[in-house]
Amino acid sequence: MARCWRTLRRRGEPTDVLIQDGVIHSMGTGLAAPEGTPVFEATGLLMHPGLINAHTHGHTGLAKGMGDKWTLELLLAAAPWIGGNRTTEDKKLTTLICAAEMVAKGCTAAYDLYYEFPLPTRDGLDAAASAYAEAGMRAVIAPMVADRTMYEAIPGLMDALPDALQAQVARLKMMPFQQTLSAIGEVLRHWRWSGQDILPAVAPTIPLHCADEFMCGCATLAREHGVGLHSHVGESKVQAVVGRRKYGKTLVAHLDGLGLLGPEFTAAHAVWLDDDDFRRMADHGASMAHNPGSNMRLGNGMFRLRQALDAGCNVGIGTDGASCADNQNMYEAMRYASMLSKVQTPDPRFWATSDEVYKAATVGSAKALGFKDLGAIAPGYKADIVFLDLGSINWIPHNWSTNQIVHTEDGGGVKHVMTGGRFIFKDGRHTTLDLAKLAVEAEAARARLEALNAEWAELYTKLEPVVASFCPAIAAQLSPQALPLRFACLNFDLSS
Ligand SMILES: [Zn+2]
């Protein structure tokens, strides 16, 4: 039983929380607990439900901070270098690095789109799942797949490469999608983590990188197995332009036409969506994962949070991977989400409130992950609770709980974290992980992979100038005249 501060607007009020079998049984002051129930005294602490990361990539943990001026397309060009030659142990280690950070920064569940080349494997995804289990987190892990490379997906890009580079890029060719679908089916059939709330899903990575038949095959597998479907939709301006040209409609309209939208579907990023796209998403009960840090970091633009919420869309908040967000800090993601909704217009009527952002990062993300019993501290919900130290400088003074969780807290105030009533982080330290050991293993893997991937690093240096000039030129072709849509990234017209 915990005696502490419950988060209510504006200041949380003291309450007792009775936890039974990992689930919140009842709440109230002076709550009676069955004889012998251990009591955890939480005076001076503020409880909030564990934050839920709606979009990340465990495979990027080892690639933290490897690039600076990266667009999404440059990041994809760097993928073989920053993620190549991984052993099964590396696949666990890289995920554990992400999970350890999420826990330390108040996050207890994540939707992880996990990439392996050339095919998803049972061992690899099992390794990722074991990392979340070890960290004490809940997760949804989706093998992230494609049947064409970026060089094939973006018309003209392959031709823009010199012949020698084309030959090298050909080595990155994806497997025929039938093989990939059967590999995913194999993973789904043998999944053994669901009892620990570590569920599988399916992630055709980017519609342009997947044949329509492949996308539909992924959706069929997801439906057959009752799991989620997750894709990066309208993340970069390049995708919006190429998608419009290729499909003759928006990416969301195309996915809708294929019958892929539904409550189990999550569109990550969704930066380049118009109002009609939002309506389609809302009508189908689909979710969006808003990753503001990554969207800024990769120069992808600004998700229109206010408009998405007004359209009735379910929105979750995510960090995205450590290679493009550089951290797994959900407090930062919430703060960015709030800021980004505000920087788009000086009219506060079109801003999201901190309460809305807080809701997105808890119940909104939970819905995207498919968990009905996560994201709140309430009877019937799993006891995934973060305890913030009200003595931390982030809370001196404590004026407005949710507003400060979104705008003031940065992870520095996280004192304890529990999942299912069990402490996985206590007094500022992981209880299930040895961070010093993790650091030693990570450094050994980093050094080994740096040597093994040297040739891919060299290839990247050759690809970079081509990709860095070709893709922005495509993006520049988008104008309101060419696409009569209301996009997020239009600059304010100061002349009117
Ligand atoms: Zn992503």
Side-chain angles (χ1 to χ4, degrees), residues 393-438:
I393 191 63
N394 294 336
W395 295 92
I396 301 174
H398 172 196
N399 283 309
W400 180 354
S401 303
T402 48
N403 197 41
Q404 282 177 256
I405 287 171
V406 170
H407 286 134
T408 317
E409 182 54 62
D410 54 10
V414 175
K415 189 162 188 192
H416 319 298
V417 180
M418 64 165 54
T419 52
R422 176 177 73 115
F423 283 104
I424 56 173
F425 193 80
K426 189 91 186 287
D427 294 315
R429 297 175 74 88
H430 293 88
T431 64
T432 67
L433 305 173
D434 182 343
L435 214 53
K437 181 168 162 273
L438 188 67

Side-chain angles (χ1 to χ4, degrees), residues 1-4 13-18 26-34 39:
M1 191 163 75
R3 191 180 301 278
C4 45
E13 292 172 359
T15 186
D16 298 336
V17 177
L18 179 62
S26 46
M27 295 169 61
T29 45
L31 212 58
V39 174

Side-chain angles (χ1 to χ4, degrees), residues 60-72 74-79 81-83 294 297-298 321-327 460 464:
T60 63
L62 279 165
K64 188 185 291 176
M66 283 183 79
D68 181 8
K69 287 171 64 169
W70 274 354
T71 61
L72 172 66
L74 286 169
L75 173 66
L76 294 175
W81 159 38
I82 66 176
S294 164
R297 176 76 156 81
L298 300 175
S323 57
C324 55
D326 301 342
N327 67 34
Y460 175 75
E464 187 188 29

Side-chain angles (χ1 to χ4, degrees), residues 131-150:
Y132 283 107
E134 194 170 318
M137 287 181 69
R138 305 182 205 274
V140 176
I141 305 176
M144 188 170 85
V145 293
D147 71 337
R148 57 193 63 157
T149 63
M150 174 179 69

Side-chain angles (χ1 to χ4, degrees), residues 55 57 232 269 320:
H55 184 86
H57 302 280
H232 300 83
H269 301 281
D320 208 353

